[in-house]
Structure formats: C-alpha cells, structure tokens
Amino acid sequence: MFGTRFVNAAKAFVRLSRDNPDEALKSVTRAAKASALGTLYLVNAVCAAHLFAEHIGWINLVDGPSMLPTMADSGEYILENKMIRPKDIKRGDLVTYLSPLDPSRIVCKRVIGLPGDIICVDPTGELAPSTEHVVIPRNHVWLSGDNAVMSRDSRVYGPVSMALIKGRMVARVWPPSKITVFRSNFDYID
Amino acid sequence: MRKPWSSIRQSWRTFWGAHRTLKRALYPLVWLPTGIVFTELFYTVKSVNGRSMQPTLNPDTSPWRDLVVFDRLSIRTLRRYERGDVVALASPLDSKLLVKRVVALEGDTVKTLPPYPDAEVRVPVGHAWVEGDEYFHSEDSNTFGPVPLALIDSKLVWIVWPQHRFGPLLVPSEPDPRLPRGPSWRVEKAAADKARWRNSRVTVVQQKPSSSEDLSTRVV
C-alpha cells in the first residue's frame, strides 16, 4: 500500500516537473526544508530523552555477579531513580556510582556505612587484616557488593565520595516473575 | 461518541492561534533539551571563584572573576586526561566544583606538600593528583589525597573574560631572556618556574599499570 502511494507520488511529480518546472522545484525545496526540520525535532527529542534518563530516572540492564543473590548475573532490568540527594542515602540502599577504578564504568553496590561510621575493612581478613577498622570521612560512604567473593568494592578502593553517586536502585521490573521493590535490609542489633 | 483527543487538539490550536505573540516568544524553549545536552556533553561557560589557581586564573590585578570555557567532550566522552590540564572537578569532601591542575596520573609518584601525611605517594589506578597553582590557598590532593578520575568533570580550554586575556589557556613557558624584564616578564618567569618545580616533584611512570586487563574481568 505504501509502495503504490510512493509510486503514484513519484508519477505525479514527474508530470508536474514536465508541465510546470518552477512549481516542481518549489515543492522539492519545501519537502527538503520539512525533512530537515523533522530531523532537528528528532535530535531534540533524543536529547530530551537523554536528559530524562540522566536526571530523572530510567530502566537499566544490570550485569555482573557482584550483587548476587539480590540481582542475577544478567538479564534483569532495574528502575533507577536519579533524583536523589546524596545526603538522603541510608544504610542498606542500593546505589549506582561511577567506579573509582575506571571512570567510564557505572557500578551498583549496597551502602554499608555513612560518614562518621567506623567500619571493619574486611571481616573475612582476605583483602585486609580483619582487625583493621577505618572511620568514614565526611561526604563519603562505604559500599559493598552482596556477593563479597566476586565483588570489587570499598574493601579495594576505600570509602567512595558521594560526588560519584549517580542514582538509587528502586525496583526490579523485569523479568515479570521477579518484580521486587528494593527495601533497606539493614537491621540494628543490640 | 466524542473523541477526547481531537477536542483537546482543537482547543490547543485555537489557543495558540489566538496568542500568536506568546507562541513566537515561547517557541525557542522547544529547543532547550538540545541546548542543555550540548552544555552537558560538549562545551560550557562558567565563572571561576577563588584564588587557588592564581596567577593562571583570577589574578590579583583583575577586578573581575574569570569567565572560561570548559570542554566536557574530551573528558567525559574521549577520556583524555593529561598532566598539566586545568580541570573542574567535584570535591570529594563536599561535592562542590573546584578548579585545579592535574599534576600526576595513575602510576606516577608525587612528592607531596603539607598537610599531606606521607612524603611521597604513588597515585593508584583510576586516580589523579590535582593541585591548585597557589597550593597554600588551595584545598587539593594535598588535603584529600588522590581523586578518582570519575570526579573530573571538564577541562578548561579558553578564557573569555577579562578581554585582555581572551584566548586559549597557555602552557607556561620560559620567557625570552633578552626581553626587558618588566612586570609581565617577571610574571611569566614565575609561572614557568612554578611549572618546572611542579613537574620536578612528579616521577612519571613510563608504562601504564595493567589496569585494563584487570577490569575486563566480570567482577565489578
């Protein structure tokens, strides 16, 4: 159907250019202008979508074994909230941040400690002696993967500045059988 | 049955048909997303506060704050970090934007300045050492240690205002010793001496540490 319409339009144009070349040239200019403007509008819409994803929120694919069992190795889509103030972060939140090891990587970990907390660097004694404790400096947080064995986190690079934090994971939206809203799993023990 | 969408479209059209001037005034706002994305991904103009980068920026003789162009493209997209670049970065201690100079990159060894506790430090993978040109007026890596490259937001490329310094940011170079040694000659000489002293404190690593290979494993 589209094909026949296109052919008819082309025929009409050939007829017009034979009978009235000036009018044909005008119609070509008009079509070119319209498609240029359309392209600009498309670019503008892509920019608007980019801004929405960067500053308001978006659904992202997560991957990697470091957050097992909270998040699977691959194939899960997570709704991310980018409208967070780093000051409002609580212990137990899942946050995304730019990796201090590689600026082009965004990673997701769980917040364990807030500024002023005293943290045992590695209770297993694997990456640091299990007696080593640090005080988290101001505007920094301590982050850790749920799957400690397969995770590269604050045990490796120390406390992470809140300026690196980009967003908070709100909920898993795909696959449908595993839809979950992530809540803080942080408990105080007496 | 009434079609709600067509009636909304109709009233939308009548409204803008009746308010032509308003339409013409507000129409440019449609292109705002493109403009904002341009400043976020390519170039942006900002004014610089404070005296930590004197005399490169905000020299005492200037009654204005410097207005400068920051290049985000080569930092955020191309990831080109060079020693000697003047960069804007978020302070790790309060997330505010600072303007500092990159002194050393990952793997380099730096002789630190007070108040840093250690005399020498090796910059870890994915980090940089940043200092203000007037380190005694500056809260920089000597206070908070090496900063992650991800905190670096953009690179200063051009001074827009004040007018007499309009132009690209120059690399400090030794002035011609045959020229008359007036105030501007001495300023240039001091800047070159300072750059030489700054570079003398850094042992540049010839070959980057094998970080890329490490990071390509799926452990994140």
Side-chain angles (χ1 to χ4, degrees):
Chain A
M1 180 200 144
F2 184 77
T4 55
R5 273 173 84 176
F6 184 77
V7 168
N8 287 342
K11 276 181 185 163
F13 179 75
V14 169
R15 226 175 297 125
L16 182 68
S17 60
R18 201 175 46 217
D19 301 345
N20 191 349
D22 285 357
E23 194 56 41
L25 188 66
K26 258 184 217 162
S27 77
V28 168
T29 324
R30 218 179 301 130
K33 269 185 189 163
S35 56
L37 191 66
T39 316
L40 284 179
Y41 272 122
L42 187 68
V43 169
N44 197 40
V46 170
C47 287
H50 172 81
L51 286 178
F52 190 92
E54 284 289 296
H55 299 288
I56 295 171
W58 205 249
I59 291 165
N60 285 324
L61 177 67
V62 293
D63 123 90
S66 74
M67 287 306 284
L68 285 167
T70 315
M71 288 175 211
D73 202 356
S74 61
E76 292 195 344
Y77 287 85
I78 308 283
L79 176 66
E80 190 182 347
N81 176 10
K82 302 262 180 135
M83 295 190 298
I84 55 156
R85 281 181 303 177
K87 288 208 167 52
D88 298 340
I89 288 168
K90 298 186 292 295
R91 297 180 192 88
D93 280 353
L94 296 167
V95 295
T96 53
Y97 60 100
L98 294 166
S99 165
L101 296 175
D102 179 356
S104 53
R105 247 182 133 93
I106 290 184
V107 286
C108 168
K109 296 277 184 280
R110 196 179 289 279
V111 176
I112 301 289
L114 294 179
D117 293 358
I118 300 168
I119 284 273
C120 174
V121 175
D122 190 2
T124 61
E126 212 172 285
L127 296 166
S130 58
T131 48
E132 191 184 336
H133 289 68
V134 292
V135 180
I136 302 176
R138 103 183 114 101
N139 204 45
H140 283 65
V141 288
W142 193 268
L143 297 154
S144 162
D146 286 358
N147 184 12
V149 187
M150 300 284 269
S151 169
R152 203 192 285 265
D153 45 36
S154 282
R155 295 171 301 158
V156 177
Y157 39 69
V160 175
S161 171
M162 285 181 181
L164 290 176
I165 293 178
K166 291 292 152 205
R168 191 171 70 81
M169 296 302 209
V170 178
R172 174 174 29 228
V173 295
W174 194 265
S177 59
K178 291 164 81 182
I179 290 177
T180 343
V181 177
F182 297 126
R183 295 182 197 288
S184 173
N185 62 351
F186 197 85
D187 288 319
Y188 290 91
I189 45 172
D190 296 321
Chain B
M1 198 185 89
R2 279 177 66 91
K3 291 180 191 163
W5 279 114
S6 66
S7 81
I8 287 170
R9 265 172 79 180
Q10 194 52 52
S11 54
W12 172 266
R13 279 186 188 156
T14 28
F15 177 82
W16 290 116
H19 301 82
R20 285 286 166 77
T21 328
L22 188 65
K23 184 180 177 181
R24 212 166 298 144
L26 291 184
Y27 176 71
L29 287 181
V30 167
W31 299 100
L32 209 58
T34 310
I36 297 173
V37 167
F38 182 83
T39 64
E40 281 194 358
L41 293 182
F42 296 93
Y43 298 90
T44 178
V45 177
K46 281 190 171 157
S47 75
V48 179
N49 286 337
R51 52 199 303 199
S52 78
M53 283 302 287
Q54 283 177 348
T56 316
L57 300 171
N58 285 350
D60 273 340
T61 49
S62 169
W64 295 286
R65 290 192 299 199
D66 283 7
L67 208 60
V68 294
V69 176
F70 282 104
D71 170 7
R72 284 185 162 140
L73 180 69
S74 52
I75 296 291
R76 289 198 178 178
T77 311
L78 307 173
R79 307 262 169 223
R80 277 194 209 124
Y81 304 94
E82 310 262 350
R83 297 172 192 89
D85 278 354
V86 176
V87 295
L89 73 152
S91 163
L93 292 182
D94 52 15
S95 306
K96 285 188 187 133
L97 216 58
L98 306 173
V99 179
K100 300 285 172 238
R101 197 182 284 275
V102 175
V103 173
L105 294 174
E106 58 183 27
D108 298 354
T109 312
V110 192
K111 290 194 179 70
T112 65
L113 303 169
Y116 202 73
D118 307 326
E120 273 199 1
V121 66
R122 191 162 175 277
V123 181
V125 172
H127 285 62
W129 189 268
V130 295
E131 279 180 9
D133 282 2
E134 300 253 276
Y135 64 89
F136 40 87
H137 283 145
S138 164
E139 189 162 276
D140 53 26
S141 279
N142 291 306
T143 319
F144 45 68
V147 290
L149 289 174
L151 283 179
I152 297 180
D153 168 80
S154 50
K155 162 178 143 181
L156 201 161
V157 284
W158 202 277
I159 297 173
V160 178
W161 188 263
Q163 212 181 358
H164 66 274
R165 291 196 293 127
F166 180 88
L169 193 72
L170 299 173
V171 180
S173 63
E174 201 69 33
D176 190 343
R178 286 166 301 177
L179 290 179
R181 308 195 165 190
S184 65
W185 190 93
R186 293 199 295 267
V187 165
E188 219 175 309
K189 175 77 174 144
D193 285 351
K194 198 180 262 182
R196 187 151 15 81
W197 171 73
R198 191 170 52 228
N199 295 340
S200 74
R201 289 169 33 231
V202 180
T203 316
V204 173
V205 74
Q206 288 310 318
Q207 159 186 31
K208 277 197 166 184
S210 58
S211 62
S212 51
E213 161 208 26
D214 260 18
L215 282 165
S216 65
T217 56
R218 287 190 70 228
V219 181
V220 290

